[in-house]
Amino acid sequence: MRNLAIVLVVLFVIGLGAFAFATGGTPKREPAAWLTERLIAHRGVWTDGPEAPEDSLAAFETAASAGYAVELDVHLSADGVPVVIHDDDVERMTGEPGSVSSMTVAELQELRLLGGSETIPTLEQALALVDGRVPVFVEIKNEGEVGALEDAVAAQLSAYAGDACVMSFNPFTLARVAEAAPEIPRGQLASAFEGEDLAWYEKLLLRNLLMNWTSKPDFISYDLAELPSFGTALQSLRGRPLLGWTADTQPERIAAEGLCDAVICNPGALP
């Protein structure tokens, strides 16, 4: 019995050490204060109509003019340019079929968002418009091979004079950015991943932030519907700010402010 107890203690200590390693990876720097100083406009301050569609320059201008940080999504065009759009295809926002990755920038910018005058911007255009007025949170949308998109985003943000960071659900995306441009703050996005096409162990690792050892995030951005949680509480103890996504109404935002260091908001949740 004594030998069994010793084995169990040893296994517990090993397991605890492995958990601490997996959820660690904290960068050797203090999180930037600007990460949590403002409300964050999810895809800009957009309208349901063509005047200022989500992830458009008009939506970003409205957000920046109001003093809100800007969150935006990027994919890679067929000719290797980061472009700002949430979906991996263009049909929902333009009414035309086609995947973002199969179209060049010129082809993408011939399309009109929600039938209006706004087009799909490049990341370069979005950064030029914001021009350092407010922080920019760039979500890298990459479920495929890591490399080209991450490197292109890292290069543009490294050359940008304003405050900007990257976020991704993919920990290997963040690890690639850390290699290419370690000075850019990184945020690990996570949720319960219910309904996602992932293996059970992938969901287990991602929702419990057990891939932080490779992504080494400066902050965590977690689904508000899953908060509070043990995993995010542990990350807060490690000194990582917690961002919550996405508040849809002002009551939701106010409640989220009691749980998080900053809140990512759809237009209806903004003051």
Side-chain angles (χ1 to χ4, degrees):
M1 289 296 292
R2 181 182 177 186
N3 289 341
L4 176 60
I6 292 172
V7 169
L8 291 175
V9 169
V10 169
L11 290 175
F12 175 77
V13 171
I14 292 172
L16 190 62
F19 180 79
F21 171 79
T23 59
T26 307
K28 295 179 180 179
R29 60 185 174 214
E30 291 296 315
W34 57 261
L35 291 169
T36 58
E37 287 178 340
R38 303 169 186 254
L39 292 173
I40 303 161
H42 185 231
R43 308 178 199 170
V45 178
W46 46 268
T47 62
D48 290 326
E51 300 83 10
E54 66 177 57
D55 273 337
S56 69
L57 293 181
F60 301 150
E61 178 57 40
T62 303
S65 296
Y68 301 128
V70 168
E71 186 270 352
L72 55 82
D73 310 281
V74 293
H75 289 269
L76 197 67
S77 68
D79 47 349
V81 178
V83 292
V84 181
I85 185 170
H86 177 269
D87 301 354
D88 58 10
D89 66 73
V90 299
E91 186 168 7
R92 180 175 67 89
M93 293 304 297
T94 71
E96 300 291 336
S99 64
V100 176
S101 62
S102 69
M103 305 174 75
T104 66
V105 168
E107 291 169 334
L108 289 166
Q109 295 200 321
E110 287 178 358
L111 304 174
R112 294 295 179 266
L113 297 173
L114 301 181
S117 61
E118 292 290 315
T119 63
I120 297 170
T122 64
L123 175 60
E124 184 178 17
Q125 289 172 326
L127 293 174
L129 178 124
V130 175
D131 193 25
R133 288 178 290 168
V134 296
V136 179
F137 291 71
V138 179
E139 181 181 344
I140 299 178
K141 312 286 283 188
N142 188 0
E143 298 179 2
E145 184 176 350
V146 169
L149 175 56
E150 291 78 5
D151 291 350
V153 170
Q156 290 195 22
L157 294 189
S158 291
Y160 180 59
D163 294 326
C165 65
V166 296
M167 304 189 296
S168 183
F169 286 99
N170 187 340
F172 299 110
T173 282
L174 297 181
R176 180 66 177 232
V177 173
E179 291 177 5
E183 75 280 2
I184 298 172
R186 302 176 297 277
Q188 182 66 62
L189 283 159
S191 70
F193 295 97
E194 296 296 336
E196 296 293 330
D197 186 22
L198 296 169
W200 67 268
Y201 60 87
E202 292 175 311
K203 293 181 181 180
L204 176 69
L205 291 171
L206 294 172
R207 71 169 169 254
N208 290 296
L209 303 164
L210 292 171
M211 293 298 291
N212 282 2
W213 62 272
T214 188
S215 61
K216 297 180 174 60
D218 293 82
F219 64 96
I220 304 298
S221 185
Y222 215 89
D223 185 355
L224 282 172
E226 306 300 326
L227 296 178
S229 73
F230 171 76
T232 55
L234 176 62
Q235 295 303 315
S236 294
L237 289 175
R238 288 184 179 276
R240 288 185 168 114
L242 174 63
L243 280 57
W245 57 269
T246 306
D248 291 315
T249 66
Q250 295 205 30
E252 287 181 7
R253 170 181 58 80
I254 292 168
E257 288 172 340
L259 299 171
C260 308
D261 299 297
V263 185
I264 300 172
C265 301
N266 280 329
L270 295 168

